[in-house]
Amino acid sequence: MNTEILVIGGGYAGVMAANRLTRRDDVTVTLINPRPSFVERIRLHQLVGGTHPAVVEYRRVLAEGVRLVVDTVDRIDAGGREVALASGGTLGYDYLVYAVGSGSADPSVPGAAEFAHPIATLEDAQRLRPLVEEVSADAPVTIVGAGPTGIETAAELAEQGHAVTLVGGGVLGPYLHPKGRRSVAGRLAGLGVTVLEGVRVAAVTGDAVRLSDGRTIPSALTVWTVGFGVPDLAVRSGLTTDALGRLLTDETLTSVDDERIVAAGDSAAPSDLPLRMSCQAAIPLGARAADTVLSRIAGEHPAPLNEAFAGQCISLGRSAGIFQFARRHDVAVGFHIGGRPGARVKEFVCQGIVKHLAGEAGKPGSYRLHQVSGGPKRQELLAARRAESPAPAGVEQVA
């Protein structure tokens, strides 16, 4: 008997899951995505800077056996096991992988929605690119948000000669170890970027940014990189989510509402302890979600989450970068690779991600997952969560 599997979302997690699911010959895998091309989200700052298109054809990364449907899912009917499409049709499923990803959070700062430009999606970056081209080199550009996206965008534009101010509500690169942070600060200073730490944006206008300390700085172009949000598809479909709207799952990435629905990537909240939103987490989560579905089809018990992190890569223009090493539970350590070697590592990682996806497309099951049972730190966090309150109904306990 053939098993119909739908994967909603064609990003890093969704493509990995779809490819891996083709390990079985008795499944039909359909990937639903609103765009006809795969987006290299970690290169969107390059699209804005004009140094990379940030898209590749799906046939480079998607298994031949996966059917691609270019459409948007309006609602999931878990009871009827079908999804309603924006085009008006429906698709049925036996299992569903929820990998809708993330985008920009709605800014609450006055004027930000009207005058600041996000960069979290392909469409955001494509709208921003011509605006960057129109701005003269000496016109002030303000990047709001000192996380990796803000840092990368600031460096990319400053390297091209733009007068950039980077505004961070806290410290520069909060994930970074202090040693890595000093390295990034030095590179930005060398590019002429003015970094304002510990001050927030209070309002945005068409030609200025007002800061929380009362200052107003001119800004011909303001780029907003603060915060991420997730699509509200799970909420609209009546599925249980965390406070942000991520689908709540157990440690096998199975929805607490329905064992036929499995989540992966930025839109998943395993045990209400979601991993850092990142490509680094999305790809193994996609592989794990596929393995969970395959285990259920085979009548086997799915293995629990076993994610391990290596660190964080940040490009600092085309000629420098940083790879910040971390413990496997995602806490930065003092060692990093910076400068030109850091740029080479970043590019190697970007190219390697596409190769990982293409490799899984050509040989499903070839991507290796770490066998660390979620790591001792996650087990510690889960134990503490269980001690505070019992798990929601349906959440699988892990010893």
Side-chain angles (χ1 to χ4, degrees):
M1 187 173 99
N2 195 68
T3 301
E4 296 281 347
I5 306 173
L6 295 184
V7 179
I8 306 178
Y12 297 109
V15 169
M16 173 56 75
N19 289 344
R20 200 171 183 88
L21 287 164
T22 62
R23 294 171 73 178
R24 290 184 66 107
D25 294 330
D26 58 349
V27 303
T28 299
V29 182
T30 300
L31 178 70
I32 307 170
N33 193 66
R35 307 175 191 89
S37 299
F38 175 75
V39 178
E40 290 190 80
R41 185 169 177 178
I42 57 175
R43 291 193 187 272
L44 288 179
H45 63 284
Q46 289 187 253
L47 191 162
V48 171
T51 60
H52 197 282
V55 294
V56 298
E57 292 301 314
Y58 263 117
R59 287 309 160 195
R60 280 188 57 192
V61 296
L62 197 61
E64 290 186 7
V66 177
R67 174 191 175 204
L68 175 64
V69 173
V70 181
D71 210 326
T72 300
V73 175
D74 276 346
R75 191 176 186 278
I76 300 167
D77 177 3
R81 290 185 193 167
E82 67 176 18
V83 301
L85 302 176
S87 62
T90 61
L91 289 175
Y93 66 85
D94 295 304
Y95 289 92
L96 183 145
V97 177
Y98 186 84
V100 298
S102 62
S104 296
D106 291 332
S108 58
V109 172
E114 182 178 1
F115 298 111
H117 303 275
I119 190 178
T121 68
L122 176 65
E123 291 76 17
D124 290 338
Q126 288 174 333
R127 286 189 289 266
L128 184 53
R129 174 59 191 157
L131 299 179
V132 170
E133 290 180 311
E134 292 170 7
V135 172
S136 62
D138 58 351
V141 174
T142 304
I143 312 296
V144 184
T149 303
I151 291 170
E152 290 186 322
T153 306
E156 197 79 21
L157 299 185
E159 192 176 59
Q160 297 179 8
H162 290 282
V164 176
T165 297
L166 178 62
V167 182
V171 298
L172 177 70
Y175 176 90
L176 299 170
H177 187 275
K179 292 181 180 178
R181 189 172 299 121
R182 285 195 293 271
S183 176
V184 171
R187 168 62 177 172
L188 292 177
L191 290 171
V193 177
T194 299
V195 177
L196 302 179
E197 295 183 82
V199 62
R200 299 182 181 277
V201 171
V204 182
T205 67
D207 59 3
V209 169
R210 182 162 57 83
L211 304 178
S212 57
D213 61 6
R215 286 180 293 168
T216 296
I217 59 174
S219 182
L221 178 65
T222 302
V223 182
W224 197 267
T225 72
V226 179
F228 285 103
V230 297
D232 64 351
L233 175 60
V235 174
R236 284 188 282 111
S237 301
L239 297 170
T240 303
T241 68
D242 70 357
L244 190 65
R246 292 171 287 210
L247 187 67
L248 187 62
T249 76
D250 64 17
E251 285 293 285
T252 72
L253 301 180
T254 304
S255 166
V256 299
D257 301 309
D258 190 337
E259 70 171 17
R260 297 288 182 134
I261 300 176
V262 178
D266 289 354
S267 53
S271 300
D272 206 14
L273 287 172
L275 304 176
R276 172 164 56 90
M277 289 185 175
S278 63
C279 168
Q280 185 177 174
I283 288 179
L285 284 174
R288 175 57 61 201
D291 287 355
T292 290
V293 172
L294 293 172
S295 293
R296 294 201 186 282
I297 293 173
E300 300 169 353
H301 189 70
L305 182 67
N306 58 6
E307 179 66 78
F309 284 86
Q312 188 178 79
C313 256
I314 301 176
S315 67
L316 300 168
R318 297 301 87 216
S319 57
I322 183 172
F323 185 87
Q324 170 67 73
F325 285 86
R327 294 185 175 89
R328 60 175 51 187
H329 58 274
D330 205 25
V331 174
V333 298
F335 183 61
H336 69 271
I337 299 173
R340 288 188 179 276
R344 288 195 291 269
V345 171
K346 169 72 174 183
E347 183 60 27
F348 175 80
V349 168
C350 289
Q351 294 180 12
I353 288 167
V354 173
K355 289 179 180 178
H356 275 315
L357 296 176
E360 188 71 14
K363 188 179 178 181
S366 60
Y367 178 78
R368 296 184 62 185
L369 282 163
H370 299 290
Q371 300 301 317
V372 295
S373 299
K377 186 65 175 180
R378 185 169 182 83
Q379 299 306 308
E380 187 181 310
L381 292 171
L382 287 170
R385 174 65 59 82
R386 289 195 296 270
E388 292 173 3
S389 61
V395 173
E396 180 170 315
Q397 299 287 337
V398 179

